[in-house]
Amino acid sequence: RFLGHSPLTKNVEILASTKTLEWQITLVEQAVSLNEVNVGALKEDPAIGIMRRMISMAPFHIKELDSYSAKAYVKGVGKITSISKLMNMMVGKKLEKEAGIKVGSTYVLEGVNQVSYKKPNAIQEKVISNRNNLPSALRANETPNLRVTQTNFYQPKIFGNLISPLSPNAFQYYRFQYLGSFTQNGQTISKIQVTPKSSFQDLFDGTFSVVEDTWSIYSFSLHFKNANNNVTMQQQNVPFQDVWMPINYDLNMVLDVMGFGASFRYITQIKEYKIQVNKAFLVKPQIIEERLDKKLAKEIDREKIKNPKLDLGGILTRKKLKKILKEVDKEEEKELKPEFSSDYQFEVDTLAGQRSNEFWEEERQMPLTEAEVKGYKEA
C-alpha cells in the first residue's frame, strides 16, 4: 500500500522446490468519486458533518489502547542544497574542514527500533541497530540515534503550537471541503480538503482521509510553512483489531535561513504491531448527525448515563459521547496503578552498530535512493 493508491493483496504459494519468486508490483491510484446522496440532506458541504463527528471521536481514539508494541525502521536524510556567496566566504571552508559537511552531499541516519507503549503515557524505545554516513566530527562523542515518530493528530496540538484539524476548536481555524469517497473492504473512506481560514503560520493545508462510522484517520497529506521552513507531513494508517494504527509517516522539510538552503526527510515505517485494546473501547459508538434526526438526538441526550463503559458502544450524539468519555476517565483514574506514570525511556543495544549488511537488507522497509547509496559510498 502507499498513500493515494489502492492497497494490493497477493496470495503466494511457495513449494518445497521453489528457489526464486519474483514480481513487478504496480499500484493503481485510488479513484475518488463524489457521492451526490451525501450532499443533499442538509444543503451544506458533507465535510462539515464528517469532521464534526471525526473531531468528537478524537478523544475516543486517544484512549482506546491499553498498550502496544511494534518494530520500526526509521530514516533521516539531510542535505545542504545551497549556500550564499557571503556565507560561503564566512563559514564555507570552516564548515567542511571542522565539521566535514559538504554542500550537495547527502547524509543518512538509519535505525531499527523496538517501541512499546503502556497506558496512560509510558513509552519505552530501544535501538536494535543504527547506521549513518555522518562525518566523524559529528559523531565524535556518540553515534546519533533516531526516535520513532510519536506524532498524534487526535491531539489538539501536534508539536509546538501547530493546531490539528481534529482539535476541538478546529472550525475556528479551518475550512473543510468534501472531495469524494471510495470503498475499501466494505468501509467508506471520505477525502476532505483542509484549508486555513487565515494566514496564521501554525495551521495546515492539504487533504485528510476519514474512515466513516469509526471516524478514524485513514491517511493524510498536510503542509505548513513559516518564515524559514516549508514542511509536508504524510501518514498512512491500517486497521489492527479494528484500531487504525499508523504504518508509515513521512516528513519532508525545505529550509532557507541565514544564507543556507537545506532539505530534510524523516521517515518511520512500522510493522509487527501487538496491541491491547481497552475493553471499554472494543465496540465503537454510532455517532448520529443530530441535525438530521433532532427528535432522536433529544431522546439520547435526556437519557441518564447508567454504565459509562457499556453506554460507550451505543447510538450517541457528540454531546453524549463527550459526557460518557468524561465518566470513563473518572473510573479509569481510580483504577490506574502508581506504576502507570508518564515516562519515556530510551536505550541502545550494545550491538546496535555491528549489524551486517544482510540484516539491513532484511529490515530496511524502504530502499535507499541513488543519492543515499552514493552518500554511504562517499563515507
Side-chain angles (χ1 to χ4, degrees):
R1 67 177 69 229
F2 190 74
L3 193 73
H5 293 70
S6 297
L8 176 67
T9 301
K10 186 174 180 66
N11 294 322
V12 180
E13 184 178 5
I14 302 176
L15 305 175
S17 59
T18 302
K19 291 183 179 179
T20 303
L21 293 173
E22 201 169 299
W23 289 274
Q24 181 70 34
I25 302 296
T26 303
L27 294 183
V28 178
E29 281 195 39
Q30 183 71 64
V32 177
S33 59
L34 281 170
N35 189 339
E36 293 180 4
V37 176
N38 281 348
V39 177
L42 290 171
K43 296 182 180 179
E44 68 177 13
D45 195 307
I48 295 172
I50 291 170
M51 293 306 296
R52 278 200 183 102
R53 284 174 282 183
M54 183 77 172
I55 290 166
S56 71
M57 279 290 285
F60 179 98
H61 294 307
I62 290 172
K63 304 172 194 296
E64 65 185 326
L65 287 186
D66 278 340
S67 64
Y68 74 79
S69 65
K71 185 188 280 188
Y73 167 69
V74 194
K75 179 168 70 173
V77 184
K79 178 168 66 174
I80 296 177
T81 54
S82 63
I83 182 171
S84 68
K85 290 182 179 179
L86 177 62
M87 291 305 294
N88 193 36
M89 288 172 58
M90 292 173 63
V91 298
K93 291 182 179 179
K94 189 176 180 181
L95 187 70
E96 187 170 338
K97 186 177 180 180
E98 295 184 8
I101 299 290
K102 297 180 181 179
V103 177
S105 291
T106 299
Y107 297 99
V108 188
L109 293 89
E110 296 181 283
V112 177
N113 295 13
Q114 192 75 35
V115 63
S116 63
Y117 160 85
K118 200 172 186 180
K119 191 176 181 178
N121 198 26
I123 296 173
Q124 291 183 321
E125 188 165 356
K126 183 176 183 178
V127 178
I128 301 169
S129 184
N130 54 25
R131 192 171 184 238
N132 68 74
N133 71 334
L134 294 177
S136 56
L138 294 183
R139 46 186 168 88
N141 297 323
E142 61 177 316
T143 301
N145 290 288
L146 299 176
R147 269 66 167 170
V148 173
T149 302
Q150 296 289 341
T151 301
N152 189 341
F153 272 73
Y154 292 122
Q155 298 283 2
K157 290 187 178 179
I158 308 308
F159 47 78
N161 291 315
L162 273 169
I163 298 170
S164 170
L166 301 183
S167 166
N169 55 357
F171 279 94
Q172 294 179 28
Y173 298 100
Y174 294 106
R175 293 187 182 89
F176 300 106
Q177 180 186 356
Y178 178 72
L179 298 179
S181 62
F182 57 91
T183 303
Q184 184 181 304
N185 298 327
Q187 291 179 294
T188 300
I189 316 295
S190 290
K191 191 171 183 179
I192 310 295
Q193 181 73 45
V194 179
T195 308
K197 285 186 174 180
S198 70
S199 57
F200 185 50
Q201 67 180 18
D202 290 322
L203 297 175
F204 294 98
D205 66 86
T207 58
F208 218 102
S209 293
V210 177
V211 184
E212 292 200 22
D213 297 330
T214 66
W215 311 108
S216 309
I217 296 171
Y218 176 81
S219 67
F220 60 75
S221 179
L222 297 171
H223 165 263
F224 74 91
K225 62 181 178 179
N226 54 32
N228 301 319
N229 300 319
N230 202 328
V231 182
T232 300
M233 306 164 73
Q234 296 183 327
Q235 182 173 306
Q236 175 76 60
N237 288 12
V238 168
F240 294 85
Q241 295 174 220
D242 295 326
V243 178
W244 286 79
M245 302 290 291
I247 60 162
N248 171 267
Y249 181 91
D250 193 348
L251 182 147
N252 284 271
M253 178 187 295
V254 177
L255 179 69
D256 187 2
V257 60
M258 295 180 65
F260 285 95
S263 63
F264 300 94
R265 190 179 185 192
Y266 200 98
I267 297 168
T268 299
Q269 294 272 138
I270 308 175
K271 65 177 183 178
E272 297 179 18
Y273 269 115
K274 293 178 182 177
I275 72 173
Q276 182 67 48
V277 184
N278 185 329
K279 291 180 181 178
F281 293 73
L282 285 170
V283 180
K284 307 293 186 289
Q286 183 180 335
I287 310 299
I288 67 167
E289 178 56 82
E290 295 97 327
R291 294 166 303 160
L292 284 175
D293 201 333
K294 294 180 181 178
K295 185 179 178 182
L296 177 60
K298 286 181 180 179
E299 290 175 4
I300 292 170
D301 288 338
R302 276 198 301 263
E303 289 177 3
K304 291 184 178 180
I305 300 171
K306 298 174 182 177
N307 186 324
K309 291 186 177 181
L310 288 178
D311 293 345
L312 200 53
I315 300 172
L316 303 174
T317 62
R318 291 177 290 122
K319 181 180 177 181
K320 194 62 172 284
L321 174 63
K322 188 175 181 179
K323 286 183 177 179
I324 292 175
L325 286 173
K326 282 186 178 179
E327 293 299 318
V328 172
D329 276 350
K330 289 178 184 177
E331 287 187 8
E332 293 194 338
E333 280 175 10
K334 295 175 185 177
E335 296 170 4
L336 285 176
K337 298 177 183 179
E339 61 262 30
F340 282 80
S341 60
S342 297
D343 187 25
Y344 177 76
Q345 297 178 25
F346 186 82
E347 64 175 309
V348 181
D349 192 287
T350 53
L351 298 175
Q354 301 176 36
R355 308 293 183 185
S356 65
N357 284 332
E358 288 75 17
F359 172 89
W360 280 101
E361 289 299 323
E362 183 176 334
E363 291 292 341
R364 185 183 288 120
Q365 297 182 58
M366 181 172 286
L368 296 174
T369 65
E370 288 183 18
E372 291 162 5
V373 172
K374 184 181 177 183
Y376 271 124
K377 286 180 178 179
E378 287 176 352

